[in-house]
Amino acid sequence: MKIEQYVMAYGVEQDRLRAMLPRGFSSLRPVLRINAEIRDEKNAYIELNTAVEKDGVRGWLNMDAWASVPWERNEKTVTFYTDFLKISFTGVGIEGGCPAEKDNEGTFFASDANFVLRKPEMILSKKEFCDCSFAWSFTANDAKGKSNGKTLPAIPTEVRTVYPKQSCTAQHAAEIPCIQVLGAYLVKFER
């Protein structure tokens, strides 16, 4: 299967993430990541993740995923649409390696009352950096942002505010304001 994978990360208040995580998970960085894929030039898939640790395993927690997502290509820009998210990626023609994820042992997906760790794919293709803009639209005040042409780190923060517990959903994540888009890229590979 031919894959075009678009990845964008944005910085958020880490204490808000901490309030959403299921029992046993801890937040590694103040970041939300949106992965969008076009599969065989037909179907699109999007998932929302955050960086976590559980039982000594570091990786990503899948907060939600959507299949059969509408998308369109307009020259170098690819835009994905759901009822509550619009995200666009524009390749800038600069290739490079993937931002360092030395602590990525996979992604945790909910399965009944447990979580299953899916190991990361080995992707050797070069990445193309992208400009990116996004807007959640569950409510009028949801997060939105636009990249500024740089790739920036997500630096962990100490606890400052303890928020009431919330369920770990895309809608609650969308309520956390975007501090800054940290970076975006596109990678093409065969799965």
Side-chain angles (χ1 to χ4, degrees):
M1 177 183 324
K2 178 181 163 190
I3 302 293
E4 279 182 55
Q5 186 178 75
Y6 296 83
V7 180
M8 184 275 287
Y10 66 100
V12 297
E13 182 186 350
Q14 193 167 9
D15 288 336
R16 299 273 305 266
L17 286 177
R18 289 180 178 111
M20 294 176 52
L21 295 180
R23 183 183 316 242
F25 286 92
S26 60
S27 177
L28 291 176
R29 295 181 291 283
V31 64
L32 288 167
R33 180 180 76 175
I34 298 171
N35 292 351
E37 290 186 353
I38 299 171
R39 298 170 173 173
D40 284 335
E41 280 293 322
K42 297 175 191 163
N43 301 312
Y45 167 87
I46 294 178
E47 62 184 42
L48 174 66
N49 304 307
T50 190
V52 295
E53 181 174 355
K54 181 180 185 338
D55 299 327
V57 178
R58 294 172 161 237
W60 295 91
L61 172 63
N62 178 265
M63 300 171 90
D64 214 333
W66 305 274
S68 302
V69 173
W71 63 280
E72 69 181 17
R73 187 183 314 275
N74 185 1
E75 296 182 15
K76 294 191 95 175
T77 300
V78 173
T79 304
F80 299 87
Y81 302 91
T82 73
D83 293 339
F84 40 79
L85 174 67
K86 177 182 177 185
I87 185 165
S88 294
F89 296 84
T90 303
V92 298
I94 299 171
E95 288 188 343
C98 180
E101 281 188 3
K102 294 180 173 86
D103 59 357
N104 181 12
E105 296 179 59
T107 302
F108 293 95
F109 287 86
S111 176
D112 298 321
N114 292 317
F115 289 89
V116 175
L117 180 68
R118 191 178 304 160
K119 296 291 186 182
E121 290 180 284
M122 179 64 77
I123 301 171
L124 301 175
S125 305
K126 290 280 191 187
K127 281 67 174 173
E128 178 182 359
F129 293 102
C130 294
D131 287 330
C132 181
S133 64
F134 79 101
W136 291 103
S137 58
F138 289 105
T139 72
N141 297 321
D142 285 344
K144 58 183 169 279
K146 186 174 183 177
S147 60
N148 65 6
K150 299 177 184 176
T151 300
L152 304 167
I155 308 297
T157 61
E158 296 294 323
V159 175
R160 294 184 193 126
T161 305
V162 177
Y163 289 99
K165 196 74 177 148
Q166 286 188 303
S167 56
C168 187
T169 67
Q171 187 166 357
H172 286 146
E175 294 170 357
I176 305 172
C178 169
I179 296 170
Q180 187 168 19
V181 172
L182 302 172
Y185 66 85
L186 150 68
V187 62
K188 297 177 183 180
F189 60 97
E190 291 285 331
R191 177 177 291 144

